[in-house]
Amino acid sequence: MKLTVLGSTGSIGTQTLDVARGRGWLIGALAAGRNLDLLEAQVREFRPGVVSVAGEVLGEARSRFPGTRVIADPAELAALPADVVVNAMSGLPGLPPTRAALEAGRAVALATKEAMVTAADLIWEAAARGGGRVIPVDSEHTGVYQCLTGEHLGDVAELILTASGGPFREGPADLSGVTPEQALRHPSWSMGPKITIDSATLMNKGLEVMEAASLYGLPLSQVSVVIHPQSVVHAAVRFRDGSLKGQFGPTDMRLAIAYAIDAAPSGMRRPGDVLGARRGPEVAGHLSWPLRGNWEFREPDAARFPCLGLAYRAGEAGGLLPAALNAADEVAVPAFLAGQIGFMDIPRLIERVLDETPRGALSWDALAQMEAWATARARELVGAGVRA
C-alpha cells in the first residue's frame, strides 16, 4: 500500500503515519504547512519522493530536504499516483486537494469535514469525472460506514451519531457567562482550541450531521444526535424493521484511520455507495479491550446548544448556506477565545450571518466568494458587538 498524506504534521496525519509504520505501508508524498522540524523527521523516516509546504517556507524546506522534491501546492501533490490519499488538512484549504485527488482517480480517505459540509455536490461531481472514491475517516462516519456494510440503504430509518456532550453537558443551565478557560476544559479529550470550543457548543456535531447526510445521501431528518458521555458507541444505524446496529470500541482514532485506508480502494463513488472492506490486522493491541461498564444515552438540549439547530437549518437549506455557517463559525470561535464576544454570542453571530446570506447556486467560484463574504460579515458583527 502506497499512501499520500496531506496534513502530515497534524493530529490525524501523525496518527496515520503511526498506522503506516505498524503496517509497513509506503509513504509516497507528504503535505505539511510550516512545521518543518516535524516534517524533517517524517521525511527522514519515510523517505517520500515529494513533499508540499506552505509557500513562505518553501526555500527553507528545499535547503533542508535536498534529496526530496519540494513543492508549494498540495493539490498538485494530491493528484500524484497513490493507492490512497489521506486528506487530513483542516478547513476549507483541504477542498482543492480533495478535488484534485478525486479528479485524478485516487481513493481519498477524507478527514476534512468541510469538504462534505460545504461542497458535497461538487466533491461527488469530481469523483464522477475522475473515477475517484471517498471513504470518511472521522470515527462517527466510519462507524456508520461499517454499520451499513452489507445492508441496503433503502432499509435505513435513521443514522445516529453520538456526542460526548462537551464540558457543559451537566450544566450550568445558563451558559452566557462561561469563560474560554471553562469551555476549553473538555471532560474527555485533549484537542485543539477550535474543535474543543466547537464541541462545547455542539457545532462540531452539527457539522458531522451535515457530513453524514452528504456522505450517505440521506435527508438531515434521518440523521440524529444522542449525548453519550462514555464515548464508547461511536455511531449506530436504525433500520426500518426496528433493528439497530452499532459500532463501538476503544476511543483510538488509529482504528478509524486504519479501517478507512483499508476500505478506501473500494470506497464510495456516489453518496451511500457502501461496499465494505476486509478488515486488516489488530491495531494497537485492542483485542483484549473489555466490554464492561454503564452506557448512557440522552437527547441533546437544543435550547442550551443552538448551534446544533443552526447546522440542521443550513444543511436543509443547502446551496451556499453551509459555507456561510462554516465561515461564520471560523470567525466566532477565535473571537470568543480572544474575549471579544461571549459564549452564547457564537450562535447569535452565526444566526445573523445565515439570516443575511444571499442565495445562489453552488459552484467552486461561488463557494470561494461566499467564504469571503461570510468571513467579512462575521468580522463586522464582532467589531460592532453581536446583537440578536
Side-chain angles (χ1 to χ4, degrees):
M1 180 84 77
K2 182 179 179 181
L3 307 182
T4 290
V5 182
L6 311 178
S8 67
T9 57
S11 175
I12 297 298
T14 55
Q15 291 181 87
T16 297
L17 294 178
D18 284 345
V19 174
R21 185 183 296 111
R23 296 286 182 88
W25 290 336
L26 300 176
I27 304 298
L30 294 172
R34 300 168 183 81
N35 189 347
L36 296 188
D37 291 339
L38 179 53
L39 179 60
E40 185 173 13
Q42 293 173 347
V43 169
R44 190 182 305 116
E45 177 181 1
F46 293 99
R47 301 188 179 279
V50 188
V51 299
S52 170
V53 298
E56 59 265 32
V57 297
L58 185 62
E60 181 183 353
R62 284 174 172 165
S63 66
R64 291 176 67 165
F65 315 142
T68 306
R69 181 184 170 208
V70 183
I71 62 176
D73 185 4
E76 179 184 349
L77 191 92
L80 296 174
D83 294 306
V84 179
V85 176
V86 180
N87 190 350
M89 293 177 64
S90 60
L92 292 176
L95 266 67
T98 303
R99 177 187 182 184
L102 292 172
E103 289 181 342
R106 308 292 168 238
V108 178
L110 188 62
T112 304
K113 65 168 57 70
E114 288 81 4
M116 284 297 164
V117 168
T118 67
D121 289 347
L122 301 176
I123 293 299
W124 289 122
E125 287 172 7
R129 277 195 302 274
R133 295 182 180 274
V134 175
I135 189 78
V137 169
D138 281 353
S139 58
E140 296 84 357
H141 300 101
T142 303
V144 169
Y145 189 96
Q146 293 178 59
C147 290
L148 289 176
T149 300
E151 304 286 353
H152 293 282
L153 197 63
D155 290 337
V156 172
E158 181 184 22
L159 306 183
I160 303 168
L161 307 182
T162 60
S164 70
F168 307 125
R169 64 193 180 203
E170 305 297 343
D174 182 3
L175 296 174
S176 59
V178 302
T179 66
E181 292 74 21
Q182 291 172 316
L184 288 170
R185 290 192 206 116
H186 198 286
S188 304
W189 319 122
S190 176
M191 305 177 289
K194 170 62 165 61
I195 194 169
T196 302
I197 300 302
D198 279 347
S199 177
T201 65
L202 292 192
M203 175 57 84
N204 192 52
K205 201 54 53 176
L207 296 176
E208 289 177 2
V209 167
M210 297 165 70
E211 183 180 8
S214 297
L215 281 167
Y216 300 111
L218 295 171
L220 271 82
S221 60
Q222 285 183 254
V223 185
S224 65
V225 174
V226 297
I227 303 301
H228 173 47
Q230 294 77 25
S231 300
V232 175
V233 179
H234 306 303
V237 176
R238 190 191 309 274
F239 295 93
R240 60 181 179 178
D241 67 353
S243 299
L244 278 161
K245 283 175 71 173
Q247 194 276 324
F248 55 91
T251 52
D252 184 343
M253 271 304 299
R254 290 172 297 178
L255 288 166
I257 292 167
Y259 182 87
I261 292 172
D262 280 328
S266 59
M268 298 185 287
R269 293 189 188 275
R270 61 191 65 82
D273 184 20
V274 177
L275 301 176
R278 294 188 62 186
R279 294 179 184 269
E282 181 187 6
V283 175
H286 287 314
L287 283 180
S288 59
W289 179 75
L291 184 58
R292 300 188 184 93
N294 298 318
W295 296 357
E296 178 187 0
F297 303 94
R298 58 178 184 259
E299 289 293 314
D301 187 335
R304 292 176 67 233
F305 301 103
C307 282
L308 184 59
L310 293 173
Y312 274 95
R313 171 187 166 185
E316 288 166 352
L320 297 171
L321 255 70
L325 173 100
N326 185 76
D329 185 59
E330 292 283 348
V331 173
V333 170
F336 166 67
L337 290 171
Q340 296 173 292
I341 63 174
F343 185 77
M344 294 307 294
D345 289 328
I346 296 174
R348 292 190 189 101
L349 186 151
I350 295 169
E351 186 172 22
R352 281 286 302 275
V353 171
L354 290 181
D355 288 343
E356 299 175 16
T357 297
R359 300 300 189 266
L362 181 65
S363 69
W364 290 110
D365 288 342
L367 189 66
Q369 293 168 6
M370 175 52 63
E371 179 193 5
W373 175 86
T375 299
R377 182 59 183 135
R379 287 173 177 163
E380 288 176 359
L381 290 168
V382 169
V386 185
R387 290 180 293 273

